[in-house]
Amino acid sequence: MRSHRAETFTRVIDAVFACNGGFLVVGDALTRPFGLTAAQWQVLGFLEDGPATVAEVARRRGLRRQSVQETVNRLLRNGMLDRLPNPADARAPLLSLTRRARTAMRELGAAQVEWAEETAAQVSQEDLETTLRTLRRLREVVAQPRLS
């Protein structure tokens, strides 16, 4: 029999999955005019901070390396990414945004801010801050190795 806390935690997980699905639908709608998907937007967004490898993107975004590689391959074909030599590992090239990708991200950023303003206005600042703190803590907890 599950404890009340475990039951509540399970409902939190269900709500996070449902929100993620909704965010992906909105992300796809926001990115469509730029010829992108929400998944591609996530990768490009990470690379705005500078070049990185597929493995680094996957690890930092909490995604599977294989799915990131598939997304990267599409972005390379679409002229949104360049491969750069990686002095640390010749087998793992660094990925960098092209001028086309930077332009798309700048324009997409404006659309995202407008959507975020409208959406966030429907939730209190206190609730948003509590949710952010809680999700960050849960991410720390689930990232900790478990002893068998």
Side-chain angles (χ1 to χ4, degrees):
M1 184 156 115
R2 278 196 264 199
S3 68
H4 180 66
R5 183 178 294 227
E7 184 63 38
T8 300
F9 180 59
T10 300
R11 290 197 319 268
V12 167
I13 293 168
D14 290 343
V16 168
F17 285 158
C19 281
N20 185 58
F23 293 150
L24 291 174
V25 168
V26 169
D28 283 339
L30 286 171
T31 58
R32 192 171 298 113
F34 303 95
L36 297 169
T37 65
Q40 291 169 336
W41 186 20
Q42 282 186 351
V43 170
L44 293 176
F46 181 87
L47 294 171
E48 281 187 302
D49 292 335
T53 65
V54 168
E56 289 169 332
V57 174
R59 185 172 42 257
R60 292 280 306 281
R61 289 289 192 204
L63 302 168
R64 291 181 313 114
R65 188 192 173 291
Q66 182 179 356
S67 65
V68 172
Q69 184 64 63
E70 292 169 5
T71 301
V72 163
N73 290 344
R74 283 191 295 279
L75 290 166
L76 287 164
R77 282 193 303 272
N78 295 339
M80 297 295 234
L81 292 179
D82 285 326
R83 283 190 181 106
L84 305 173
N86 182 350
D89 184 352
R91 297 168 298 153
L94 294 171
L95 302 166
S96 176
L97 299 181
T98 63
R99 177 173 285 135
R100 181 175 171 220
R102 289 188 189 287
T103 299
M105 291 300 286
R106 191 171 38 256
E107 293 173 13
L108 184 53
Q112 189 273 336
V113 167
E114 183 179 327
W115 173 82
E117 288 288 348
E118 292 170 6
T119 305
Q122 300 175 57
V123 181
S124 76
Q125 182 67 26
E126 181 182 353
D127 284 351
L128 290 171
E129 289 172 4
T130 298
T131 301
L132 179 59
R133 241 185 349 269
T134 302
L135 289 173
R136 284 180 173 164
R137 178 63 186 130
L138 287 171
R139 185 170 185 189
E140 290 171 3
V141 169
V142 299
Q144 293 172 358
R146 299 277 182 236
L147 298 177
S148 303

